[in-house]
Amino acid sequence: WDFFQTLGEGVLKVSPFSAAELSQALTHPGEPLLLTEASVALLRLLLDHSAQLASGQVPPPVDTRVVASTLQQLPPSGVVTRTNWPEVLRCVGWLLPEFHGDPACEAALLALQDCTYAALPGAERLALFRALCDACLSTEPVRAALRERAERHAELSKQHRELQAGLTKQLKEAIGAIATPADASSKF
């Protein structure tokens, strides 16, 4: 959810949504529109930058259920639609390193070989969604947006510290000005 709050409108071109809406979409039977739109955007981003991903591409596991439906290379982003994105995910997932090493994600990819995305339980949908977001972190548009955001945050922090230092100095001067006349009158 935080990934989409940070990058959704700018990089992914997806309208904002709440954590509750995402939770409901993950547990709702069928293929909720929110997951469809978000997953299509993530897959397109990944495939638009497939040259970057190709260097980290891993060979698919040797499993007869997997090999039959796995692509040997990443397809162009134009093939991803609202109707075929689960199939693209099924094929592409095995080629991306972010989908390996996490038993929950691997189990979800295996389950996706035998059933439709709509039939997956919420935990498996979440595992695939998280891996898709993680895979997008290695794309240049996401890295550039995060770099820009970090630079903007650093600049705002610097301005805040300077403002706070100026206000502290003014406060000390004001306290000093108030304290000085009182001290002078008490000496007489």
Side-chain angles (χ1 to χ4, degrees), residues 42-172:
L42 291 169
L43 283 166
R44 285 181 178 165
L45 176 66
L46 279 172
L47 296 174
D48 276 342
H49 300 280
S50 60
Q52 291 172 244
L53 299 174
S55 62
Q57 189 173 320
V58 295
V62 182
D63 183 321
T64 56
R65 293 181 297 169
V66 173
V67 174
S69 67
T70 303
L71 300 171
Q72 297 304 311
Q73 62 184 12
L74 297 170
S77 66
V79 303
V80 183
T81 66
R82 288 181 179 182
T83 55
N84 76 353
W85 73 268
E87 184 60 30
V88 175
L89 176 63
R90 177 191 340 256
C91 297
V92 168
W94 291 111
L95 301 176
L96 301 173
E98 291 79 7
F99 284 76
H100 298 275
D102 177 8
C105 190
E106 288 180 3
L109 274 175
L110 281 173
L112 196 55
Q113 301 301 315
D114 299 326
C115 69
T116 65
Y117 182 84
L120 290 176
E124 289 180 343
R125 290 180 185 193
L126 178 60
L128 293 172
F129 194 70
R130 186 183 65 236
L132 212 45
C133 289
D134 288 348
C136 285
L137 286 173
S138 65
T139 64
E140 186 52 37
V142 169
R143 291 174 36 207
L146 292 176
R147 241 187 337 268
E148 180 184 315
R149 187 176 174 98
E151 289 168 0
R152 194 169 54 239
H153 182 278
E155 180 61 31
L156 289 172
S157 293
K158 179 182 174 187
Q159 289 174 3
H160 176 72
R161 283 190 306 274
E162 289 170 354
L163 179 63
Q164 188 174 11
L167 291 173
T168 301
K169 181 180 176 183
Q170 288 176 355
L171 182 61
K172 286 180 181 179

Side-chain angles (χ1 to χ4, degrees), residues 26-38:
L26 287 165
T27 57
H28 187 273
E31 286 182 27
L33 183 60
L34 174 66
L35 284 181
T36 297
E37 293 297 323

Side-chain angles (χ1 to χ4, degrees), residues 1-12 14-19 21-22 34 133 146 149 152:
W1 173 76
D2 192 38
F3 184 85
F4 274 86
Q5 293 303 94
T6 304
L7 303 165
E9 287 184 289
V11 175
L12 297 168
V14 175
S15 298
F17 52 85
S18 69
E21 290 171 316
L22 178 60
L34 174 66
C133 289
L146 292 176
R149 187 176 174 98
R152 194 169 54 239

